[in-house]
Amino acid sequence: MPYKQNYSDHNSVLVMIRKTQNAEQDQREKAREAKRFLTERNGQWDQDSYNKMDGRFRGTFDMCTPIIDGIAGEIEQSDFTLRVSPSGGDASKDTAKTLDGLIRNIRNISNAEDTFNSAGRGTVTCGFDAWECETDYIDGDSFDQDLFIRRVPNALDSVWFDLSSTLQDRSDANWSVKLIALPVDEYRARWPKGGAMSVGDDSRSSDPDCKWNSKEIVTIAKLYYRKPRMIEIVEMSDGKVYQVDDDFKAVQDELAEAGITETRRRKRKSWRVYSRLLDGGEWLGKEEETVFDYQPLVPVYGNFDVVDNDVVYFGKVENLLDPQRVLNYAMSRDIEDGALSPSPSYWMTRKQAAGNDYSKMNTDRSPIRLYNPDPDAPGAPQQHGGPVASTGLQATIVKMQEMIGASSNTYAAQQGNANAQQSGVAGLQQIEQGNVGNIKWFKDLEVAICYTGKILINAIPRVYDATRIVRVLGEDGELDMVTLNQTVLDQDTGELVTLNDLTTGNYDVVCEVGPAFNSAQKEAARSFEAMASIMPEFAQMGMDIWLKNKKEPGMDLMAERFREQLLNAGVIPQDQWTDEEQQKIAQAQAEAAQQPQQPDPMTLAAMAEMEKAKADQAEAANKQFETQTNAELSSAK
């Protein structure tokens, strides 16, 4: 049961935000340390060790960034697909398909794939990132709004959630907040009477040199909070469930005339999210009702868990901090010892060196060296000095390298550096083991993307509620235009029917992870070629599909030609026809129906025989008439 929070009291909201920041301060500071570890210059050094080696060699031998790059690269090569399916009410497969295409278009206009990839890298690095769902005009001259998925810059310091929420996607949160840093000039332009007092932040207030503390920046907050509301629903005798609102009351009489009566009714709790801007001193506007029933801020957590009623999360780097720092120190010391060691030289007596010039030994490359025997120094001159490797430092370096590999579950075979002494099977097993260990990062991102789909499915009927033409995208990126909420007359029933009505029915959404579409296209083309070599008729039946998955120039044109042939031959099933093909075939059928029907050849042959028989009969009658006439003339003469 959510606790009751006074969202209209400014001071209460500030206290609420501060409590959440204090509760997660340790978690966020560890996450910031991991992020600085990879991004800041000399960030991979322990500060005390770095200061003690002032004036000496301090190198960074980064083994962590390639590990993060490898996992982030796998995420970028994957496709997180949202699938919509009907779940009840008047839901239909056609509407679910429209919602699929609409969500793909929202992702396309939002450049959401880059947002997801960036959040995935941030989560692997430090364990936290976030993005936001919002409504906006797609361009300045449009009156229609669209949904967008947008990245939250510096989410680690900007996004906070209700302390009472415990789910990984924070879908149970009663409120969330996003801090926004504005230049003072922009703040003054938007709120001339505002006090320009920043909302406090745990990281920005603790660092006096941080730019966020500069007087040129004002930090405001955008608060999202949900309010409960009761919705009454009714089930009718035909099994359909309606929400009791003005639309239902308008058709209630028509349903009764059709014999459809009410069977049961109940009330259920629902939510609606509101937003409001504030700074550290006052509200910056009135509350605004959004189109969302869920918090539009979407977090991505790595290794999410709840321990002792506290939320815990961390990234890949946290377990690599100490080994990498020790490695940097050991290798710097080893390099420094080698650099400061005296260069190797030959030691001899004056008598041994008399008459010989050894100063050019490193340049003359002579294979023979002469020296004078000296009874007081038996034996040849000896070489002394030169770098001497520290066995202790060498052992430490090897151990830390192994520790980094073991802690990150990363092996040389995954990076293309397989051990020459190990078998190919062993290398494949190491690659598989490393990939299995990285699955959890994909699952963390999948949870957030699935929650995003849930937000969009819930908000789409409110944003796309008028009759309008929208663009939808197919899975292969093909564009199509669909008219939403179009009212047409059903010729069979004589009733008005709304096409692509997104407000009816209930739908579920799931997230599926697979290879990116480009990679899937290449794999599909290879699989097609393999099947065609076994079954030649397989190639004949699907030549258009194979050519469509080829990216060489001109292949798309050839795919269209082959599809036209297959369509005319009746090979392509009707449920696979595109809208354009359906319209084209329907138009051809209508034109054929308007033209007079030609009789079949057999009928034509029969008619020809009849005409010929009639002609022969007429000719015989004429001849008979002519003969009779001539006979009568002869008799008359």
Side-chain angles (χ1 to χ4, degrees):
M1 186 72 180
Y3 62 86
K4 187 176 181 180
Q5 173 67 46
N6 186 4
Y7 299 110
S8 61
D9 184 73
H10 182 269
N11 290 330
S12 297
V13 170
L14 290 180
V15 171
M16 175 182 74
I17 296 173
R18 174 52 63 186
K19 284 183 177 180
T20 298
Q21 291 176 334
N22 291 339
E24 282 196 42
Q25 184 174 9
D26 293 340
Q27 282 288 325
R28 294 294 177 100
E29 188 53 43
K30 289 180 181 178
R32 295 185 194 102
E33 182 183 10
K35 203 166 188 178
R36 290 193 296 263
F37 186 81
L38 291 188
T39 57
E40 289 187 0
R41 186 178 295 276
N42 301 320
Q44 296 187 14
W45 272 82
D46 175 71
Q47 195 60 45
D48 292 337
S49 301
Y50 188 81
N51 294 336
K52 290 178 181 178
M53 292 188 67
D54 187 23
R56 301 167 62 182
F57 177 69
R58 299 174 290 193
T60 298
F61 308 92
D62 186 5
M63 292 185 64
C64 298
T65 299
I67 295 171
I68 303 300
D69 288 343
I71 302 175
E74 291 181 26
I75 292 175
E76 292 174 2
Q77 292 177 357
S78 300
D79 184 25
F80 295 82
T81 304
L82 289 171
R83 303 282 186 190
V84 180
S85 59
S87 63
D90 291 336
S92 66
K93 292 183 178 180
D94 291 338
T95 304
K97 185 177 179 181
T98 301
L99 289 170
D100 268 337
L102 193 55
I103 289 177
R104 276 192 287 267
N105 185 60
I106 291 172
R107 293 173 64 165
N108 179 62
I109 62 177
S110 306
N111 201 15
E113 308 313 312
D114 286 347
T115 298
F116 296 159
N117 293 336
S118 176
R121 175 180 287 273
T123 305
V124 175
T125 300
C126 65
F128 180 78
D129 214 305
W131 60 75
E132 181 180 13
C133 297
E134 59 182 4
T135 56
D136 198 357
Y137 296 101
I138 195 168
D139 57 59
D141 296 329
S142 174
F143 289 95
D144 295 326
Q145 286 196 329
D146 287 272
L147 286 163
F148 292 87
I149 303 169
R150 287 178 175 156
R151 182 172 177 263
V152 179
N154 193 27
L156 194 59
D157 295 327
S158 302
V159 177
W160 306 89
F161 291 92
D162 175 14
L163 278 176
S164 66
S165 63
T166 56
L167 296 180
Q168 183 171 350
D169 58 11
R170 300 289 193 168
S171 58
D172 59 337
N174 294 301
W175 63 268
S176 61
V177 67
K178 180 182 71 170
L179 303 183
I180 307 169
L182 296 177
V184 172
D185 293 341
E186 182 178 347
Y187 177 92
R188 293 295 186 193
R190 295 177 62 180
W191 301 283
K193 298 181 180 180
M197 184 182 299
S198 292
V199 177
D201 178 84
D202 62 328
S203 67
R204 298 166 191 168
S205 59
S206 61
D207 185 0
D209 297 325
C210 182
K211 67 179 182 179
W212 299 99
N213 284 319
S214 171
K215 294 183 179 179
E216 301 299 321
I217 293 295
V218 178
T219 302
I220 67 171
K222 186 173 186 178
L223 176 68
Y224 291 106
Y225 53 96
R226 64 179 186 175
K227 293 182 179 181
R229 53 199 221 166
M230 301 305 296
I231 293 179
E232 190 173 14
I233 58 176
V234 59
E235 184 181 52
M236 307 302 290
S237 57
D238 60 352
K240 294 183 179 180
V241 178
Y242 296 90
Q243 180 176 327
V244 180
D245 54 13
D246 293 338
D247 293 336
F248 172 73
K249 294 176 181 178
V251 299
Q252 197 170 8
D253 294 339
E254 286 77 2
L255 293 174
E257 292 177 359
I260 301 174
T261 59
E262 177 182 332
T263 57
R264 53 182 174 172
R265 176 185 296 235
R266 73 177 180 89
K267 293 183 179 181
R268 67 174 179 87
K269 178 178 284 189
S270 181
W271 305 91
R272 182 57 53 86
V273 173
Y274 293 78
S275 68
R276 197 169 187 182
L277 293 174
L278 67 147
D279 64 10
E282 59 188 329
W283 296 110
L284 298 178
K286 297 181 179 180
E287 71 173 11
E288 297 180 0
E289 182 178 348
T290 72
V291 298
F292 303 109
D293 289 349
Y294 303 96
Q295 295 295 329
L297 289 171
V298 183
V300 190
Y301 291 101
N303 297 294
F304 181 88
D305 202 353
V306 178
V307 180
D308 295 333
N309 295 323
D310 292 328
V311 172
V312 178
Y313 49 89
F314 57 92
K316 192 86 168 179
V317 174
E318 185 164 330
N319 293 331
L320 307 179
L321 296 174
D322 293 338
Q324 180 65 62
R325 287 166 175 165
V326 173
L327 177 66
N328 291 337
Y329 178 80
M331 291 194 70
S332 297
R333 282 289 309 275
D334 188 55
I335 293 172
E336 184 184 48
D337 290 349
L340 296 180
S341 299
S343 59
S345 57
Y346 283 88
W347 292 69
M348 62 187 74
T349 63
R350 294 183 182 277
K351 186 175 182 180
Q352 289 175 324
N356 299 310
D357 184 7
Y358 298 103
S359 62
K360 299 181 180 180
M361 288 177 61
N362 61 331
T363 57
D364 59 14
R365 313 295 293 176
S366 175
I368 299 174
R369 301 295 176 191
L370 302 177
Y371 72 97
N372 303 317
D374 186 354
D376 296 332
Q382 299 293 321
Q383 187 184 47
H384 296 278
V388 178
S390 170
T391 56
L393 289 175
Q394 291 293 326
T396 300
I397 291 171
V398 173
K399 288 180 180 178
M400 292 304 103
Q401 290 174 335
E402 294 175 350
M403 181 66 68
I404 291 174
S407 299
S408 62
N409 197 33
T410 304
Y411 301 91
Q414 289 177 271
Q415 300 176 348
N417 302 321
N419 189 346
Q421 298 179 354
Q422 71 180 13
S423 66
V425 175
L428 292 175
Q429 289 177 344
Q430 288 185 345
I431 294 175
E432 182 64 22
Q433 182 177 349
N435 291 339
V436 170
N438 291 335
I439 289 177
K440 63 179 181 180
W441 304 106
F442 290 79
K443 291 296 183 182
D444 293 334
L445 195 57
E446 181 182 344
V447 169
I449 295 177
C450 188
Y451 177 52
T452 302
K454 187 177 180 180
I455 295 172
L456 296 178
I457 286 295
N458 179 263
I460 280 175
R462 302 187 186 104
V463 177
Y464 304 89
D465 58 345
T467 301
R468 56 186 288 194
I469 300 175
V470 297
R471 181 176 64 181
V472 296
L473 291 184
E475 191 172 0
D476 57 355
E478 292 292 328
L479 301 177
D480 196 9
M481 305 304 293
V482 174
T483 302
L484 301 180
N485 307 307
Q486 182 181 14
T487 303
V488 297
L489 180 65
D490 190 337
Q491 299 295 336
D492 296 332
T493 62
E495 297 179 355
L496 292 176
V497 179
T498 303
L499 302 179
N500 290 318
D501 185 1
L502 304 183
T503 62
T504 60
N506 301 319
Y507 297 87
D508 292 331
V509 60
V510 296
C511 182
E512 298 175 357
V513 183
F517 188 77
N518 290 337
S519 301
Q521 274 188 314
K522 296 177 183 177
E523 187 61 31
R526 286 193 291 265
S527 300
F528 188 95
E529 293 167 2
M531 289 295 297
S533 63
I534 301 173
M535 301 172 58
E537 61 272 17
F538 186 84
Q540 297 174 2
M541 296 286 290
M543 185 61 69
D544 59 325
I545 299 175
W546 179 70
L547 290 172
K548 194 173 182 180
N549 285 312
K550 303 287 286 183
K551 287 302 180 184
E552 291 78 2
M555 290 299 176
D556 54 341
L557 298 177
M558 291 300 298
E560 293 177 3
R561 296 179 184 180
F562 272 98
R563 184 172 180 86
E564 185 74 19
Q565 294 179 4
L566 295 172
L567 188 67
N568 294 334
V571 176
I572 301 176
Q574 185 174 354
D575 58 355
Q576 295 181 11
W577 294 354
T578 64
D579 293 340
E580 293 180 357
E581 291 170 345
Q582 291 178 357
Q583 294 175 1
K584 184 177 180 181
I585 292 174
Q587 183 178 0
Q589 293 175 347
E591 292 176 353
Q594 294 176 358
Q595 295 179 356
Q597 295 184 351
Q598 298 293 334
D600 59 89
M602 295 184 62
T603 304
L604 291 175
M607 293 175 62
E609 290 292 337
M610 292 176 62
E611 292 295 331
K612 183 179 179 182
K614 289 181 179 179
D616 292 342
Q617 186 177 2
E619 185 178 0
N622 290 334
K623 287 183 178 181
Q624 183 179 3
F625 177 76
E626 183 179 356
T627 302
Q628 183 177 359
T629 302
N630 290 335
E632 290 178 354
L633 289 174
S634 299
S635 177
K637 290 179 179 181

